[in-house]
Amino acid sequence: MNAHPAMLAWPHTEDEAIPLGLWDAAAIAAATGGTASEDFLCSGVEIDSRDVREGDLFFALKGETTDGHRFLDAAFAKGAIAAVVDRPIPQPHVLVADTMAALEALAHAARERTRARIVGVTGSVGKTGVKEAIFAALDRSSRGGAHRSVKSYNNHVGVPLSLARMPMHCGFGIFEMGMNHAGEIAALTRQVRPHVAVITTIAPAHIENLGSEEAIADAKAEIFQGLLPGGTAVIPADTPYFERLRDAAVALGANVVSFGKAAHADVRLLDSVPASNGGSLVTADMGDARICYTVSAGGDHWIANSLAVMATVRAVGGDLGAAGLSLAEMAGLAGRGARHQIALDDGGTALLIDESYNANPASMRATLAQLGATPARRRIAVLGAMKELGDFTPAFHAALVEPLAASGAEFAVLVGPEMDALARELGKAAGNTLGKPIRFAHCANTDEAIAALSAFGLEGGDAVLVKGSNSVGLAGLVAHFSGKGG
C-alpha cells in the first residue's frame, strides 16, 4: 500500500482510539453484573420513554407509582437500541437483578473510566444557573469537550443518570447536586467525586425539613466529603456561614477558594456597573490578577454567581477569557431568568421575566431587586407561594412586603394560600394614607392568576416578573402570555 507512514499508524493519539459510541453491550454487562442478550452499541442513556432518541439505552426503572417495564414498547418505538431490564424481553437487552442499582453501577463505571476534570455544584440558590455557566465556559474553551447534567437532574436518579451519559473522551464534567434532607448530598458527591466542589450560597430553602440555616449549611457542606485528594472547595465569602463552610472543607483536606465582596474573598468583587444589555460589567481581583468581563444576566445575584464561575474555571485549569465571553453571551434559562418580549394588541411590547421554576426567600428578594432595576413604564410582580418553609411559612411570606415595595411594582398577583400573610401586609399598607399602596390580587391557582393579570391589562413598556415554586405551576402563566412552552 502506497501511503504515508503516519496514516498507516492511525490512530496516533490515545484519544483517537476511544470508541465513538457511549457504551457497548459488553461494557454495560461488565459494569452492571448483568447479561447481554446480544451485541449492540448505544449513543445515549435515558429513563423516560418520552425522551428516548435513536440509539439510546433505556433503563426500565421502578418508581413508587409506576414501572419502566410498562414503557418498553414505547421506548423501542422511539428508537431505543436496547434496554436494561430485570426480566427477559424479545428486544436487545441487558438482564440485571435491579435496574436502579444497575444505573448506579454504570454511573460508577463512567466515573472510573474518565480522565475529565469534574466539578460538583450545590447551593440553596443558583446552582442550576451556575452549573450551566460553568459548563458554557468550559465547553467553549475545550471546543465542545465538556459534559454536564441537564435540566435539574440533581437527585438520587438524576446524578447517576448524568454520570452514565458522560462520554469517555470529554475533558470536563459538571454535575449539580440537590437535597431535601441531611445526608442526601453526601451520597451524591461520593458518586461524582469532584475535583472542585462549589457552594453557591446558603439560604432558607428546605428549612421545613432541616430546621435551621445552620443545618442547611452543614447539609450543603456534605459536598466536600466526595472531593478527591487535593481538591478545591469554592465557597461564598459573604455568607454568615463562611467560617462554618470553610472549616468543614479544611477538615476534609480541601483547598478553599472563596468568592464575593468581602475583603477576605479570594475572588473579590472590586466594582460592577450596569451594562447596556441589562446585565453588569464586573471587575474582580483574583489575587494575582484583575479581570473585567460582562455578565448578560441581570441582578446582583448573577454578579456573585459570576465570581463563583471564575473561581471554578480557574481551579480546573480552564480559560478565564472564554469564561468571560460565555457569561456575556449566556441567555436566561426557562424558568430561571429567561426573558420574553410579549407583543401586545396596541402594537407595543411588554417584558416578561420567567423565574417560575423555583422560589425561596433569598431568591425572591434577589429577583424583586432585579425587577426594580429593570427599566419599565410599569412594573408588575406575579408571585407564587414558596414551598418547604414549614413553620416559617407565614413570616417569610409576610417579609416579602419590603422587597416588593422596593421593586416599585404597581400591581402584584399573589398565588397560593401561603401568600395570605403577604396579602395581609399589603392590605395594611393600602389602609395607610402615607405612600402609594401596591394594588394586588390574591389568587388560588394559575388560572385565576392569568385572569387577574389579563384583567389588569398589559401595556407597552411594562415589565412583569413571574416567580414562584415550581409546584405552584406559574410556568403555565408564562406559556399563556409568551406563547412559548407548555
Side-chain angles (χ1 to χ4, degrees), residues 73 90 93 125 140 143 150 166 258 267-268 281 361 420:
D73 288 343
H93 64 274
V125 183
R140 187 181 194 121
R143 300 183 181 181
V150 298
M166 181 165 54
S258 61
V267 178
R268 183 167 61 92
L281 181 64
D420 283 343

Side-chain angles (χ1 to χ4, degrees), residues 43 46 50 90 98 115 128 134 156 263 316 332 375 385 423 473:
S43 56
E46 188 51 75
R50 297 167 295 184
D98 183 318
R115 300 194 304 271
T128 300
I134 294 169
H156 68 288
V316 294

Side-chain angles (χ1 to χ4, degrees), residues 352 354-357 364 382-385 413-415 445-447 449-450 465-480:
L352 188 150
D354 177 14
E355 290 277 0
S356 61
Y357 188 82
M364 277 286 199
V382 181
L383 304 181
V413 180
L414 314 180
V415 189
N445 53 48
T446 297
D447 289 341
I450 291 172
L465 169 66
V466 182
K467 178 75 172 174
S469 289
N470 191 40
S471 61
V472 178
L474 291 181
L477 182 145
V478 172
H480 176 85

Side-chain angles (χ1 to χ4, degrees), residues 177-198:
M177 288 172 257
M179 61 88 188
N180 293 315
H181 299 85
E184 291 176 345
I185 288 180
L188 299 176
T189 191
R190 290 190 178 103
Q191 295 181 57
V192 173
R193 287 183 291 134
H195 297 90
V196 178
V198 183

Side-chain angles (χ1 to χ4, degrees), residues 133 137-138 140-141 293-294 309-310 313 319-328:
L138 296 175
R140 187 181 194 121
S141 63
Y293 55 90
T294 298
V309 171
M310 289 299 187
V313 168
D319 186 323
L320 293 178
L325 291 172
S326 297
L327 286 165

Side-chain angles (χ1 to χ4, degrees), residues 15 22 114-119 130-150 162-163 165-175 312-313 316-319 322 326:
D15 283 349
L22 183 62
T114 187
R115 300 194 304 271
R117 297 286 291 175
I118 303 297
V119 177
V130 168
K131 177 258 299 180
E132 289 293 324
I134 294 169
F135 166 76
L138 296 175
D139 199 52
R140 187 181 194 121
S141 63
S142 63
R143 300 183 181 181
H147 168 79
R148 95 293 206 183
S149 49
V150 298
S162 299
L163 281 164
R165 289 171 166 175
M166 181 165 54
M168 190 188 306
H169 55 76
C170 71
F172 300 98
I174 306 95
F175 299 91
T312 303
V313 168
V316 294
D319 186 323
S326 297

Side-chain angles (χ1 to χ4, degrees), residues 185-269:
I185 288 180
L188 299 176
T189 191
R190 290 190 178 103
Q191 295 181 57
V192 173
R193 287 183 291 134
H195 297 90
V196 178
V198 183
I199 295 180
T200 59
T201 191
I202 303 298
H206 312 301
I207 199 168
E208 177 183 21
N209 300 324
L210 291 157
S212 69
E213 289 194 36
E214 289 81 3
I216 293 170
D218 292 341
K220 297 299 183 184
E222 291 173 11
I223 194 172
F224 306 140
Q225 295 178 22
L227 269 174
L228 293 179
T232 299
V234 176
I235 64 174
D238 301 327
T239 176
Y241 309 104
F242 165 73
E243 292 183 355
R244 196 180 193 99
L245 297 176
R246 180 200 60 196
D247 292 349
V250 170
L252 292 166
N255 302 306
V256 175
V257 176
S258 61
F259 64 91
K261 298 178 181 178
H264 63 264
D266 298 301
V267 178
R268 183 167 61 92
L269 177 67

